[in-house]
Amino acid sequence: MNTPTEDPTEQQPALPTAHPLRSSVGRLLHERPFIPVCTPSEITYLAWSEPASGGTPSADWILALCEIAGMPGPAKGAVYHFAQFESFSLRWERHTEFSSLALISEGIAKEAFSRHVYRYTPSGWLDKIPGELLVAVEITVGPKGRVFPAKSMVSASLCSSRVAGGQAQVWTDFRHHADGFSRFYIQDHGATKPAMGRLVQRLLEVEVYRTLALHGYETARSLSPRLNVIELELAALTDSLSGGVLGVDDSEDGSPVVPNPTESLGQLLKMSAAVERMAAETSFRFSATRAYARLVKERSEALKEIEIPGFSTLSEFIERRFQPAVRTCQAVEDRRQALSGHLGRAVNLLNIQVNALLEGQNRAQNIAIAQRSKRALHLQETVESLSIIAISYYAIGLLGYVFNAAAHAGLAIDPGVAKGVAVPVVVGVVWFAMRRIGRTK
């Protein structure tokens, strides 16, 4: 074994071959760092949906702004970019369903929320946002001595609490105002720049994840009437299946008319196809709703709110208004899954009844075949009896010629007596011969 040395110039041994994912996994925890935010500051935040066609339109859009300012833009395949411009800093992130842009400017206007940071961007650049707008948030970070601008928010839904262990106080009404933006006002109570940056990021994540989660609620509302129709159709069909024997019309004696099995199966297949189509259309949205709801809960808990008398905390407001919508999505999804199970059991019920019908039909056919076979056997026995008589008759007639010839030849034979004596013998021989022929078949 080699003895270790203290020589720093000595070449270190190379590491083994790295796993293909080692570098990307190592960078994953550092791709979206918090940006320190000073007091006072203004933050404009936008989130928009990524086009389903793929590509990198958001990165190209950010790159165009950076090129105008003569600054490097996002690298190819990047999901995060930070740039410091003369009047503001820019933070861009790309997620699975959306991209977001935060513009941060130091200093605040005399009147809160009266100007937006994107005023520093080139004219017309913001109009080319590559997607549909999901979230627009304006955040003002003011010093402790500055009074909260109560007129900038709706008092009926105003929420406030101390957050980050009492290092700041937040106000919001969770409403879209006349300029299209939601508003948060943060009053700094001694938070450091990194702590303020984490607080801002958590508030923005609560807003965007809450919005995306509620997209599932609209899906649930549109899906519920469609489920109602299929549930009613299935109930009516199930009632008809349990009303009697399939394929039998008992309407004359007051019993319900049971539909034809083929028609019933066609209806069930049509309903099953409709439910599966609903699953394909909504499963991703409902799964995303559950995931976003968990993120909202985690980010809300990370705020470490301290209640202020007279105000609802942000978490309380979200729990009261947001969670019922999430539970509605879950209820509709459970209802769709239950309906799929009901349809499967209805198909099984129909199969049982069809099998019972087929067994009854087969039983009736077997009885009919047995009866026909019995009649055929009786007919065959009758024909055989007649055949014995006929053959015996002709055989005795032939023997009569023999007996007459013998009498004319001088033999002492009475043809009539001989024929009478020959009858039982001939009949016995013919009967025995017919039995032998029947056994050999």
Side-chain angles (χ1 to χ4, degrees):
M1 183 178 293
N2 296 331
T3 303
T5 64
E6 299 294 335
D7 186 3
T9 62
E10 183 179 358
Q11 185 176 5
Q12 299 295 323
L15 291 173
T17 303
H19 189 280
L21 299 179
R22 183 173 186 268
S23 296
S24 59
V25 171
R27 292 193 303 267
L28 185 62
L29 296 177
H30 308 284
E31 282 185 341
R32 297 183 175 93
F34 294 108
I35 299 176
V37 176
C38 66
T39 304
S41 290
E42 291 178 328
I43 300 99
T44 295
Y45 177 84
L46 302 173
W48 60 93
S49 59
E50 283 288 336
S53 58
T56 59
S58 296
D60 297 338
W61 184 56
I62 299 298
L63 178 62
L65 177 64
C66 294
E67 289 178 345
I68 292 174
M71 300 182 64
K76 183 177 181 180
V79 296
Y80 170 86
H81 185 68
F82 176 80
Q84 181 64 57
F85 293 84
E86 181 178 353
S87 303
F88 66 96
S89 58
L90 175 149
R91 171 194 172 103
W92 168 75
E93 296 181 38
R94 182 175 181 178
H95 299 262
T96 303
E97 280 197 276
F98 69 96
S99 287
S100 64
L101 174 68
L103 304 175
I104 307 170
S105 175
E106 296 185 9
I108 56 177
K110 183 177 181 180
E111 185 178 349
F113 308 109
S114 61
R115 62 183 185 181
H116 303 293
V117 182
Y118 63 76
R119 67 186 182 278
Y120 296 117
T121 61
S123 177
W125 175 78
L126 193 64
D127 298 335
K128 299 177 182 178
I129 185 170
E132 296 179 334
L133 186 65
L134 297 171
V135 174
V137 181
E138 189 73 14
I139 297 180
T140 295
V141 181
K144 185 176 182 179
R146 180 162 177 161
V147 178
F148 163 65
K151 293 183 179 180
S152 62
M153 297 186 189
V154 179
S155 59
S157 58
L158 185 63
C159 304
S160 182
S161 63
R162 291 189 176 88
V163 293
Q167 297 182 77
Q169 184 173 349
V170 178
W171 287 265
T172 185
D173 58 3
F174 289 106
R175 291 180 179 269
H176 295 168
H177 291 266
D179 57 1
F181 283 81
S182 302
R183 295 174 178 177
F184 289 87
Y185 185 85
I186 303 175
Q187 190 178 70
D188 188 359
H189 288 188
T192 62
K193 291 182 180 181
M196 186 60 71
R198 289 192 294 272
L199 172 60
V200 168
Q201 183 67 18
R202 286 164 183 161
L203 291 173
L204 293 174
E205 288 175 346
V206 166
E207 185 69 6
V208 69
Y209 293 147
R210 178 182 66 86
T211 300
L212 286 168
L214 289 177
H215 283 193
Y217 178 67
E218 295 302 321
T219 301
R221 290 182 62 184
S222 64
L223 184 63
S224 188
R226 296 164 64 187
L227 292 175
N228 290 339
V229 173
I230 296 179
E231 286 173 342
L232 292 174
E233 291 178 352
L234 178 59
L237 181 59
T238 305
D239 288 342
S240 67
L241 292 178
S242 61
V245 180
L246 274 173
V248 178
D249 188 349
D250 297 328
S251 58
E252 293 182 358
D253 59 2
S255 300
V257 178
V258 182
N260 183 279
T262 304
E263 295 177 358
S264 300
L265 183 59
Q267 293 176 16
L268 285 174
L269 291 177
K270 182 179 179 181
M271 287 185 278
S272 297
V275 172
E276 290 306 313
R277 184 166 58 250
M278 293 178 196
E281 293 172 354
T282 62
S283 58
F284 172 77
R285 188 72 270 153
F286 287 148
S287 298
T289 292
R290 291 191 294 271
Y292 288 131
R294 287 193 294 268
L295 289 172
V296 170
K297 182 177 178 61
E298 292 172 1
R299 299 302 187 269
S300 298
E301 292 174 350
L303 292 175
K304 300 178 181 178
E305 292 184 272
I306 300 173
E307 186 176 357
I308 297 176
F311 291 99
S312 295
T313 65
L314 279 65
S315 299
E316 289 174 347
F317 185 90
I318 291 173
E319 180 69 23
R320 186 172 66 252
R321 308 291 177 87
F322 171 70
Q323 288 301 327
V326 174
R327 285 190 284 269
T328 298
C329 296
Q330 185 62 53
V332 172
E333 175 69 359
D334 293 343
R335 184 180 168 195
R336 185 202 60 76
Q337 292 177 353
L339 181 57
S340 181
H342 294 328
L343 285 167
R345 288 188 288 274
V347 171
N348 291 335
L349 175 62
L350 180 61
N351 286 333
I352 292 172
Q353 294 195 347
V354 168
N355 290 336
L357 174 62
L358 292 176
E359 289 178 1
Q361 292 175 345
N362 291 337
R363 189 182 305 110
Q365 290 177 355
N366 290 335
I367 293 173
I369 291 173
Q371 292 175 346
R372 287 195 297 270
S373 299
K374 188 176 181 179
R375 287 194 296 268
L377 179 60
H378 291 165
L379 179 60
Q380 181 180 354
E381 292 174 348
T382 302
V383 171
E384 289 179 354
S385 300
L386 294 175
S387 299
I388 292 172
I389 295 172
I391 294 172
S392 299
Y393 175 78
Y394 285 112
I396 292 170
L398 292 174
L399 287 175
Y401 289 113
V402 174
F403 294 148
N404 289 330
H408 287 295
L411 295 177
I413 297 176
D414 186 348
V417 174
K419 289 171 62 176
V421 173
V423 168
V425 176
V426 171
V427 171
V429 172
V430 172
W431 176 82
F432 181 76
M434 294 291 291
R435 288 290 300 274
R436 291 292 301 272
I437 293 171
R439 289 178 181 179
T440 56
K441 288 183 180 181

